[in-house]
Amino acid sequence: MIYTKEKIKVFISSACGEGYENYNIARAALKALIESTGIATVYLFEGEGASIISAGEHYSSALEECDVCIFLIDNKDGIRPGVQIEIDCVNKYKIKALYYFCDKDSTEKTPLQESIMGYNFAKSRVIHSFEEFITSGAQDLISDLIGIYKKYCKGRLENVEKIEETIESSISLSFGLEATIATKNTIANIDKCKVYFLKMLQGYGKEIENTNSLDGWYCKFLTILFENKSIQEFNTGLFLKDLEVYQDTEYHSLVKKRWEAIQAYFQGNLEECIRLLEQALDMAKNQLFPDWIIKDILIDLRNQNIFLSQFQNEYFVYKHQDEINNSEHALYYPLLDRFDKELNEMYIADSLNEKIKSPYTYSFGKNLSYYTDLISNIYVISMFNGSLTHIMKIYDRIKFLTFHLCQQYSNWEIRVLLLKTTLINCNTKEIDGIIYEAEDILGKMNAKDALDIFNFTNNHPIEYQRQISNLEALKSVGYFLADKDFDNIIDQVSEFINDWLEDDKACILLGGHIISALDGVARRIDPNRLVDICCKFLERGRVRWEDGLFKLIGQHIKLSQLNHIVCERLIEQIRMVVEDEEKRNHSNNLGYLLQCLRKQDKILTQELDETIRKEMPKFYEEDYKLETSEDDKEMPLFISKYIDKINKRNMKQGENGTYSGYGDRAHIIIKSIITNSDNIYSEELLNATFSAASNTLLSKRQTIEEKCDAIELLIFLCKRFPQLMIHNEVIIEKLKDNKEITEDGKVLMSNLSIIALKFSILFLYNCFGEDIYQPMMEMLPFLVDDIPTQLQVSKIILTFLEADEEEIPQNVEILLLQQVLTWCKSNQVDLRWKAIRILFQLLRNNNNQSIISNQLIQLMDSDNVYIKNGIIRLTAKNHKMAKSIADYLLQKAAVDPNYMVRKVCEEILSQQ
């Protein structure tokens, strides 16, 4: 038999251990059969020897490293928790998998089997005995390998490593002082750096062939940038001694001074760094170095002065930027800019090729070294010249590369690296955007990944920037950390927050990040500790962050969870804010917080309630009483008040060419009052509501938004109180006869199109008895790529379905189901959430069970914490879902890596 050195790694997954002896026998037999081919090695947990690492780490690391995973699942036994974890791991790392479902003792398909059918999913097969699993597993694996090789021989596999011209052939050293500042050897023997970047992206590198002493130093410095090593471990003096061989005396003296500044920077000493850079600038000017070198130092000075100004809470003076702007020459960095340009051109070319490639072409890999070679060249040039700005820009360059790769590939390590390099730049908007764009990062993360990501942010050498990165990382991955790791980190963060609050000269830039981080993990922090920090903010007069603070308290703090002393302290601090006119007038979220606290406990907030009535009488009588009153007798008065508002707005809107936006949504408020109250409302009041909303639609001057709100209210009224359609037949006929008015609206500072109004009103027509299938089908194409309209339409559909449980016309239901399944794949989390709620409503038709269940299972595999929690909460409330599916969804939630998903699942199971 011929043996090969390189072998395929196979992992066999199934229930195992005591009580599952038949699985153990089948696994062992399949292992023996596969390994007899000589082309594969098989991992069986029970077949491994003793190890110093935990059992869980042992098999999970083996699974992550495998090339193929084979699953054996008996329909009778279902999916065991351990197997579910392995399925999640396979999905996370995109490991190829073969699934075998044994129907010997039960022919009922498991929810998993139902959910993996289709072109995009792993191969699966139904077997009738464990003996069949043994022969089929080995045969199917060999057949797959042969199939892939045949496609390759037929030219149906695309090798995306092909690039017409190599990077090396395009290198040109055409810039001033090339003989003394850089030679071709500067970037010719740097394999250690290239392999380092390659390993960072794909977990393995290539053989190191061409290297030199500087390459070793460059590679060692990468551990400071990416592995949290100290600058003390990098001997700058010896590095500069080796560097001196490649530079002339004058230029080396300049680079040496710049490296002294770099060393000060990585020691966290910004002032010393700036002082040394100023000296380097003087040297460059006095010795008449090229303009690009002087500008490079000016950029370093500009950036470090910005950081120092931020740290010292001072305004920044742009003297160095002004000097750059006033230069006669354009800003250009020889060679480095050339490589940057080539890198960007590769991104564009890759994206273009991906768009235009044949659908019959399979891609089987990309040689990432083309990217990493360019990045290595840029990095080495930065190190060679002592350019601090470009050394630190390595994070940006890796971030851009990983973002580009994430658009084409599902590699997990690349996604994690994207999040790491984004977090270290301290840009909240960018971090939120990356997480929003690549949401599967948070859908598949585990505790190990989370800790690795958090620790990566410690690479920042400047303390206040490192603290910001820590806070952003905590906000992003805090719910995925293991309990012990989270407790350690929150202790450290709490300590530095308390120090920051006590320091009057502390960097104010941290304040917003602190509030954001606490909000991001509030449900995992002891509420007494959280309120203690919030109270210190108020006591120390940190006014600029009170708005975020009030939102945080309102959303996450329950008075019943606080001890008595902490509770009284919080309420007293809030009461003092209410008494301070200047503070309360600068807060948009104070009213929201006051309503939240009052609804939680009437006794504890009695004194606060009196203060609100005295200091904020208008707010007290309007929004506050509406939200907090428990007297149902007051609700009709509020409805009448908003009916009057609607009527006045309909009369005045557009009068004399004047159009207005409104600070509240009167139609939606009325709907909310009726929904949340057990009152029996008079026929007269309901008719008046119906009439007011109808007049909104019949107004020629009213806006699209207002008409959409009126439609939502009218649909709700028609469904909840069907007798209203009898009492208001005249109004209904008027609405039907004036569609050119009802389906038209003014656009006033809105991103809603007229399609939103036309589509929404179809569901009102359906309430009136009209067939809406044809107009719906004609209008669906106009929803594509129009997110605001999709959000509006999804709200109307929800109102239409939630108001009652009547069956809807089958043809309309099919259209809705198709559209909603598309929305489930949207990048917009709000749209996905509405789509999921609609899916649960469509379970009223038992024929939809299979389609909807499969979609929900897929979302539980990869979506974010908000969607997962929403699914399991709706699962617990919905009694029309098949019990086997509901149990499977809760089982998946119980082992989810996210703390909040597990906690919500635990609460649900405890109530069953």
Side-chain angles (χ1 to χ4, degrees), residues 352-536:
L352 179 61
N353 290 335
E354 186 68 20
K355 288 287 185 184
I356 65 176
K357 76 176 184 181
S358 166
Y360 304 105
T361 300
Y362 298 86
S363 297
F364 64 92
K366 177 178 285 293
N367 190 342
L368 299 181
S369 63
Y370 289 113
Y371 298 118
T372 54
D373 284 359
L374 279 172
I375 289 177
S376 297
N377 292 342
I378 293 169
Y379 165 70
V380 165
I381 292 168
S382 307
M383 292 282 290
F384 186 88
N385 292 318
S387 175
L388 176 55
T389 295
H390 281 287
I391 289 173
M392 297 307 293
K393 275 177 69 69
I394 194 66
Y395 295 121
D396 274 335
R397 291 186 170 103
I398 296 294
K399 176 185 66 183
F400 295 144
L401 171 58
T402 50
F403 181 80
H404 170 71
L405 294 175
C406 281
Q407 307 307 303
Q408 301 180 32
Y409 306 104
S410 56
N411 182 285
W412 173 250
E413 290 79 8
I414 290 176
R415 277 165 158 66
V416 170
L417 187 56
L418 170 61
L419 183 54
K420 286 179 178 178
T421 49
T422 305
L423 283 167
I424 206 163
N425 281 334
C426 309
N427 187 327
T428 301
K429 185 176 180 180
E430 188 176 73
I431 294 165
D432 293 343
I434 289 295
I435 290 175
Y436 189 84
E437 179 66 24
E439 280 194 307
D440 58 334
I441 295 177
L442 298 188
K444 299 175 181 177
M445 189 177 296
N446 59 28
K448 180 183 175 183
D449 298 325
L451 183 61
D452 188 35
I453 290 168
F454 182 88
N455 287 338
F456 185 84
T457 60
N458 286 321
N459 281 299
H460 224 304
I462 306 303
E463 184 180 28
Y464 86 92
Q465 293 178 334
R466 182 169 62 251
Q467 290 170 339
I468 291 174
S469 291
N470 286 166
L471 290 167
E472 290 296 330
L474 178 62
K475 179 183 77 172
S476 301
V477 304
Y479 282 134
F480 294 92
L481 290 164
D483 290 342
K484 182 180 179 181
D485 294 329
F486 180 82
D487 291 342
N488 290 336
I489 289 171
I490 204 64
D491 285 344
Q492 297 169 19
V493 169
S494 297
E495 183 177 351
F496 107 70
I497 290 175
N498 286 325
D499 292 342
W500 180 85
L501 286 166
E502 293 298 324
D503 185 359
D504 291 332
K505 295 182 180 181
C507 175
I508 61 174
L509 198 62
L510 282 161
H513 295 281
I514 290 173
I515 299 297
S516 181
L518 293 175
D519 181 65
V521 292
R523 300 295 176 89
R524 201 171 184 179
I525 302 175
D526 179 345
N528 291 292
R529 168 184 266 185
L530 184 58
V531 169
D532 177 65
I533 294 173
C534 293
C535 287
K536 286 179 180 177

Side-chain angles (χ1 to χ4, degrees), residues 831-846:
L831 186 57
R832 290 205 309 281
W833 173 230
K834 288 183 174 63
I836 289 164
R837 290 170 61 191
I838 293 170
L839 287 180
F840 273 91
Q841 289 296 324
L842 293 177
L843 282 171
R844 65 185 65 184
N845 182 348
N846 197 52

